[in-house]
Amino acid sequence: MATDASKPAEQTLFVRKASGLVKGWSSTDGFRYSFFSTNIFLGIWGFLYAVFIPGGSVFWSIIICTLFVLLECVVYAGLISAMPRAGGDYVWQSRVFHSSVGFVFGATGWWFILWLWIPIYAALCVNSFINPIFRIVGLGSWADWLLTKNGVFVASLATIALATYLVAVGMKAYANFQKWALWIGLAGLIVGAILLIVTSKASFIAAFNREMFQQYGARDAYAATIKAAGEGMPSSMFAGTLKDTFYLLPVMAFWLLWPNWGATLYGEVRGAKDFRKNIYQMAGGLLSAVVIVIIFLFLVTKTMGWTFFEASANGYMGALYAYIDPAKLPAGGSYLSPTAMTAWIVNNSAFQVILIAAISLIVFGWWGTVFLSSTRMIFASAFDRILPEGVAKVTSGGVPVNALLLMAIPSVIVSAFYAYQPSFVSLTYDATLVIAAMFLMSGLAFMIMPWRAKAIWENSALPKIKIGIPLMSIVAAVYSAFMLFLLYKWIYDPDNLYGIGYKNKNSMIFMGILYVAGIVIWIIAWSVRKRQGMELEAVAKEIPVE
Amino acid sequence: MKVRLFFATDVHGSEVCWRKFINSASHYEADVLILGGDMTGKAIVPIVQTGPDHWRYHMLDITHELEGADELAKGERLIRDHGYYPVTLTPEERDEYTSDEDKLEELFHEQMRKTVASWVEWADAKLEGSNIQCIVCPGNDDRFDIDEILKTSKHIMVGEGNVLDLPEGYQLASSGWTNLTPWDTPREEDEPKLKERILSIVEQATVPPERLVLGLHAPPYDTQLDVAPKIDWETLTVQGQDSAHVGSTAVREVIEEVQPILSLHGHIHESRAAVRIGRTLAVNPGSSYVEGMVAGVVVDLDGKNKLKRYRLTSG
């Protein structure tokens, strides 16, 4: 039997009127979802950690990491195409491996670790947008307070409240808001890019020094920043050894791993075209974000100067991790938001505030949904009877109250640790590691699907090209190897480059608690359900056909 | 004594799902099997004869070239497992069906009847000698003549419009009719008429609510069971990430008024969930027929007046 993906001109499918025959999610929506997820500001925030590996090339590490993440787009497009509407990583892994594997990796990756994303989101938002706006409008004391322990905690609580509110009542309006957020945010970015293009380095330095004097009382801040924190920083985004550039990949993964975050709405009359469309949507979002960031980095080099940009990041990280005296830094260790520095080029407070607010929509348009995927995961495991039925309870108004509590209460606790226990900040990359571990398992699930889930594989519209073994399995194997590399670098980290390896006991304990919690919940559920005569494994076991 | 039900729905012409459904009784140790509607497929894949012993078809954007009768049989099976109807045609016949809607309509009718008849035959052979009670209720996408074919079965009971006795003194009241959809399907009507229809069926029940099970294809409105991507009724395109409640208010009102122990639903494939509406557990196990998987729910009734437990399955 020969197969060919070309489409003939004549009628190849007769469809009758039947429910559910829709034309699927539009490409624009899928693209928007992926673009928001590979959030460029997560990237800019993530670059801060590149200061710990100054010997690596930021530019080339982005390119290499992107190439590997493109494989992720293929793997996830394949999983979605083969098992649409299946509930994501949790169900894929349950079907291909075992219920326990699906739950432990699904729960830690989609549920527990998102507690840690809350204070990270809050910190990014406060530092990148809210504090710069406060300082521009003369509310420096508010900005200072937001950086105190109480301020960090309150910002996290506000993020929890917003995420809870959106899941509880506001998702519909938020979905509309996202559409506007993207376009306004992009318009803001274009204005910012134009400013950086038309501004000379000398003009930027003058504008930077002016604003730093007005806001922090610092004189000649540009030179002072380089003097205080520029030592050892690279002079170009291209400079670096191959080895150190590879060491930067785990840093870049912090923002590049997420184009597969959404895209769960698909029509039923689907095929290879849908598989390709899924890839285009995810890869489109990823590549657009990467192109924008690279353009930004070129403009930074031209207008701000690369050494200064790295020094500004190193100053913040140095103050945070106590290897640079904040008193020596013009901003006293405050984060110098690239968005704000761009806005400062125009000496007009109203313009600056509007531009920062517009650009911030690229972030606000996305992360209000931080609890959304978690509640889905909680529901799925409640319906499979791993969690008690009550967990999936919804109020008469449709609010998934218990699932939200399972997100909100631990998030408050984790946020409190983040705010009041200084060493907790160093766990930032745990937020990526735990999800990457889940992605690894899904990559492996896709790799062995042709053998372990043969019926699903054969029923799917995925290309069945073989090079000895199915091409899709080879793609998944390379992707999984990349995930393994990332995990290895994060965990086996003798130089403490990423701060979450075996040398950081807090990190090990924190992640250990998450995985043990997942295992304990599954074992309890397994033993309870076994006594009730409904074995957990049966939930995903295939029914015989003949 | 405990009664275990297995409920699945919306297999939409997938032969592999039908076979799995019939086999699910032993797999889940169920006493009763209930299929909640939409048995019939949505599309025909023409297998066009291109030579004396050569055929070609195009499915899921892939063109398949078939040589010989064995490959033809394999191709037909693959198409059926996807929930489509394989029909072997000459190029001229295909063009005729393309231009003549009435003729195509009749072809659909013929394929559905033929497929349901063969499914019934297969199920009868499988269920022969077992104590399993198997109930099938057509859904809104199923044309009326399939009811008659189902009635010819020795072992399958037809749910539509009936109240059927289940083991241990439980009863099942079923209907595959739904509220209006954008697709103008055979069994749909406005909410007041639907409520009237469902109530007229429920009135036939002779057991108290704690022993009554409803099998209604449409899920209750404004629950987790009825959330679908929002679509434009004219163009049938999905509207962004927006979702909408598309269930039936009539079904919800009946559940609220009657308060049966269990209410089983389907129709909205992506809204796999279980909710409590008062004392009633309402479940929509969803559908994964496109994957060749049977999404279902196993429910244990305690034989008295309690629902002991349930679990959504995927097999």
Side-chain angles (χ1 to χ4, degrees), chain A residues 25-27 30-31 34 70 72-84 259-260 262-267 270-285 462:
Chain A
W25 208 15
S26 82
S27 297
F31 163 80
S34 289
L70 284 172
E72 177 177 280
C73 298
V74 177
V75 167
Y76 272 77
L79 285 165
I80 291 165
S81 175
M83 293 185 258
N260 58 347
T264 51
L265 298 172
Y266 292 89
R270 74 214 162 82
K273 230 193 254 170
D274 269 6
F275 168 63
R276 290 194 295 271
K277 193 168 113 179
N278 297 345
I279 295 176
Y280 297 153
Q281 287 170 357
M282 287 190 243
L462 295 170

Side-chain angles (χ1 to χ4, degrees), chain A residues 239-252:
Chain A
T241 65
L242 186 63
K243 184 179 149 199
D244 282 353
T245 299
F246 266 83
Y247 283 12
L248 272 178
L249 297 184
V251 172
M252 296 308 160

